[in-house]
């Protein structure tokens, strides 16, 4: 093998490696979490302040004395939440992919970039709102006595 053949093979290898690396980049980087509806830390502010997940409240239905109406509201919430977050997650993915295509084509400018980023930021804020509003609704569904009992149960679990 002569030097030019070896050099050509090295160039082909590097090109193939570069294409493979570029193909592995996921846009957006949190695409899997968005598709799964995973809150990925978006609800941490509620959880660290002792707002349990709706699933946790439902698991304590006997100890809290949840009524049929309260259970219906929690079931409805748990049914609708994944649908809402998946729809919003897909909107974010679509917007991020659109931004990626603009960069790929080289047709993006600062004005368009600002507008796209503001739109994506708003969608991400909307998604976080969807996740966090559930924690506010819990407190509205439970009576004050049930909320106090929930806090007692959480405290005893923490011990």
């Amino acid at each position: 093998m002569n030097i030019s053949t070896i050099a050509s093979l090295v160039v082909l290898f590097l090109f193939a490696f570069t294409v493979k690396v570029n193909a592995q980049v996921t846009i957006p980087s949190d695409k899997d979490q968005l598709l799964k509806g995973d809150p990925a830390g978006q609800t941490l502010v509620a959880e660290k302040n002792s707002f349990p997940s709706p699933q946790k409240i439902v698991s304590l239905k006997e100890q809290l004395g949840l009524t049929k109406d309260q259970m219906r509201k929690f079931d409805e919430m748990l049914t609708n939440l994944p649908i809402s977050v998946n729809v919003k997650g897909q909107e974010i993915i679509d917007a991020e992919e659109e931004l990626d295509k603009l960069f790929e084509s080289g047709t993006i400018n600062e004005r368009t970039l600002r507008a796209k980023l503001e739109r994506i930021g708003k969608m991400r804020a909307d998604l976080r709102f969807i996740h966090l509003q559930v924690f506010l609704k819990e407190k509205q569904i439970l009576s004050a006595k049930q909320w106090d009992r929930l806090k007692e149960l959480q405290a005893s679990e923490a011990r």
Side-chain angles (χ1 to χ4, degrees):
M1 248 191 252
N2 63 28
I3 294 180
S4 65
T5 305
I6 293 171
S8 295
L9 288 173
V10 169
V11 168
L12 281 172
F13 172 76
L14 290 173
F15 176 74
F17 179 75
T18 303
V19 169
K20 184 174 179 168
V21 168
N22 285 338
Q24 292 175 351
V25 174
T26 304
I27 302 292
S29 60
D30 59 347
K31 184 175 184 175
D32 289 341
Q33 293 167 327
L34 291 167
L35 287 173
K36 292 176 190 169
D38 180 2
Q42 295 186 58
T43 59
L44 186 61
V45 68
E47 293 164 3
K48 82 175 190 76
N49 288 293
S50 301
F51 281 76
S53 70
Q55 295 89 339
K56 179 67 175 175
I57 292 173
V58 169
S59 75
L60 298 170
K61 63 185 175 190
E62 282 84 24
Q63 294 98 315
L64 296 172
L66 296 182
T67 66
K68 285 183 182 180
D69 185 52
Q70 287 173 318
M71 280 302 299
R72 181 188 55 76
K73 288 177 182 176
F74 277 107
D75 287 342
E76 192 175 285
M77 191 185 326
L78 290 169
T79 300
N80 293 334
L81 179 65
I83 296 167
S84 299
V85 298
N86 288 340
V87 167
K88 188 56 70 178
Q90 187 60 56
E91 287 176 13
I92 293 168
I93 290 167
D94 293 345
E96 292 275 7
E97 288 174 347
E98 182 182 329
L99 179 63
D100 181 57
K101 286 178 182 159
L102 288 170
F103 269 95
E104 185 180 317
S105 70
T107 59
I108 193 158
N109 58 44
E110 286 185 17
R111 193 174 122 230
T112 302
L113 176 61
R114 170 66 63 195
K116 297 291 182 193
L117 291 176
E118 286 176 357
R119 182 171 167 251
I120 291 168
K122 168 98 172 67
M123 283 190 266
R124 286 186 178 273
D126 290 345
L127 178 62
R128 189 166 187 209
F129 178 80
I130 292 168
H131 280 292
L132 285 171
Q133 76 175 345
V134 169
F135 293 89
L136 295 179
K137 287 181 180 180
E138 296 172 344
K139 201 167 181 180
Q140 295 168 357
I141 294 171
L142 297 175
S143 69
K145 185 177 178 181
Q146 288 171 318
W147 188 257
D148 291 341
R149 176 71 178 134
L150 176 62
K151 296 301 169 192
E152 290 171 10
L153 292 168
Q154 286 179 300
S156 68
E157 280 182 1
R159 287 182 229 153

